[in-house]
Each structure stands twice: as C-alpha cells, then as structure tokens.
Amino acid sequence: AQSVTQLDSQVPVFEEAPVELRCNYSSSVSVYLFWYVQYPNQGLQLLLKYLSGSTLVESINGFEAEFNKSQTSFHLRKPSVHISDTAEYFCAVSDEGSGGSYIPTFGRGTSLIVHP
Amino acid sequence: GAGVSQSPSNKVTEKGKDVELRCDPISGHTALYWYRQSLGQGLEFLIYFQGNSAPDKSGLPSDRFSAERTGGSVSTLTIQRTQQEDSAVYLCASSLALLGYEQYFGPGTRLTVT
C-alpha cells in the first residue's frame, strides 16, 4: 500500500523568507502527485499537481513542487512567503493501488506558520 | 458553479445514538470519497464510490460505519451507536473520475460525540 510521509508537522518561518515543505512517498511505478492547502476554517483545495510531463509544476500563487522519481519526493517550495500563506498543507499521492482504484493517499499535513 | 456541499456543518450527539452525514457532490462527478480528519492525524480514507458502487469498504473503521450513494449523486455516511472516538471532521470529496483527477472537497461535518 502507498504511504506518504510529511516529515515536518509544523514549519515556522518569517515573512518573505523561503520555505520548503517536504513530502516523500513509497515507491511505485506510476504515480500522480498533489499538494492541497487548507486555510484556517476552510476546506481543502488543490494547490498544484503532477500528472506527467515536466517534473516542475507551479501554482498561481508562487508555490512550486518538483517530482523526483529517484528520491520518491515531491517537495513544495516558495521563495518568499506571505502572512496569507499560513495554512495546513497536505501532500497526496495516487497510484494504481488495489484493483486500479487510484485512490489518493494523504500525508499527515504540515502546518506552515508565517510570522511578521 | 456549485461546489461540494455537506450537511450538517456541525453535529453534536450523545454516545450510542446513530448519525447520518450527507454529501452533495459536484454535478457530473462520478467519483466520491469520504475521509475523516482528526486533529494532528491528517486525512483518513474511509470509502469511495465510482458511480453508485463502493468497490472497497476496507477503510471503514468498524461495522458501525456504512455509506451509500444513490443516483450517482448524493451520498450518506451513517454511523451507528456512536462512540466518543468517532468525534472528528468528516470530509467528502468528488472528482470527475478516479484516475489522477483533482478532488474537490466539501467544508466538512464536525461530529462531536458526548
């Protein structure tokens, strides 16, 4: 079964500093990778995804993530964070799974706390 | 267009009572998922539907949990004889299909068992 590890449960950072949120998954032949964000008191929403093609994917608000097959990682980065980026970030991985179900498996989440 | 909706938004119930949680997915989405989110525990997958069919129910925590989906649309998650450990936020999500498609999440139902 697929497993997703988000090593950092909490990442505090100052505004305008760079940040990296780490995500590793157990190996699989073919995977689809997602980052979801949950702002305070809101539902989860997709931040970015990797399905195929370029291993570097970007979101509209400056986040990017790189699919590294050899290291089975999909780390999320932003060169300069804002206060408004404070949220819970979830990495999710979808593979063929049992019976070809492609049900996404989620990590435990990383709480990004941006300080002024 | 309308997103995924869930009702009720909050539910407080006494231990031993049954509860029903409802999910209205985005129109046209064939796949529907139920997750449970507990503090510090991330998202726990419960069950998914492809159309009205739930091929794998192994994620349900116990036989007190059941779910159904009718008309390829609305889904209900039923918890019988609730226990305090059932307290959590129950999330529903839908997607166009299973294979690599983005999931759209509802706002969740916060269940508190007293």
Side-chain angles (χ1 to χ4, degrees):
Chain A
Q2 181 68 257
S3 67
V4 179
T5 303
Q6 291 184 245
L7 288 169
D8 306 302
S9 60
Q10 204 172 79
V11 174
V13 64
F14 286 107
E15 194 172 21
E16 297 183 6
V19 70
E20 178 179 82
L21 307 183
R22 294 178 291 171
C23 174
N24 288 88
Y25 59 94
S26 53
S27 64
S28 178
V29 175
S30 177
V31 293
Y32 301 99
L33 303 161
F34 307 84
W35 276 99
Y36 286 84
V37 59
Q38 187 176 28
Y39 297 106
N41 301 314
Q42 295 187 29
L44 275 81
Q45 55 188 282
L46 183 71
L47 186 61
L48 48 74
K49 62 184 177 183
Y50 169 78
L51 301 181
S52 64
S54 172
T55 57
L56 184 66
V57 290
E58 298 177 350
S59 72
I60 58 173
N61 57 353
F63 282 92
E64 63 179 32
E66 185 160 19
F67 168 49
N68 188 319
K69 188 174 183 178
S70 63
Q71 296 186 3
T72 59
S73 69
F74 191 55
H75 300 331
L76 182 69
R77 302 182 184 95
K78 189 170 185 179
S80 175
V81 294
H82 301 139
I83 295 283
S84 59
D85 292 324
T86 294
E88 191 83 15
Y89 291 80
F90 293 91
C91 179
V93 179
S94 174
D95 66 6
E96 191 170 3
S98 170
S101 61
Y102 285 96
I103 302 303
T105 300
F106 283 78
R108 291 196 166 198
T110 297
S111 179
L112 175 63
I113 303 169
V114 182
H115 298 287
Chain B
V4 178
S5 62
Q6 292 184 247
S7 61
S9 55
N10 275 286
K11 178 72 176 179
V12 180
T13 189
E14 291 180 355
K15 177 181 172 181
K17 300 279 189 182
D18 299 351
V19 295
E20 262 191 15
L21 312 181
R22 177 187 169 107
C23 172
D24 280 90
I26 293 174
S27 177
H29 281 194
T30 62
L32 185 148
Y33 315 78
W34 284 98
Y35 294 90
R36 181 166 69 175
Q37 185 177 25
S38 304
L39 192 62
Q41 297 298 312
L43 270 70
E44 176 188 4
F45 170 73
L46 299 178
I47 192 171
Y48 81 96
F49 290 87
Q50 176 61 23
N52 293 330
S53 174
D56 181 5
K57 300 181 181 179
S58 62
L60 295 174
S62 76
D63 58 8
R64 296 186 294 104
F65 287 71
S66 62
E68 66 174 13
R69 188 181 186 192
T70 55
S73 181
V74 173
S75 176
T76 54
L77 176 69
T78 302
I79 309 173
Q80 295 179 310
R81 306 180 303 281
T82 52
Q83 304 294 315
Q84 287 188 331
E85 61 262 28
D86 299 335
S87 297
V89 176
Y90 289 81
L91 295 172
C92 175
S94 70
S95 63
L96 271 173
L98 289 174
L99 180 56
Y101 282 90
E102 170 187 355
Q103 291 177 305
Y104 292 81
F105 282 83
T109 293
R110 182 175 297 278
L111 175 65
T112 304
V113 182
T114 61

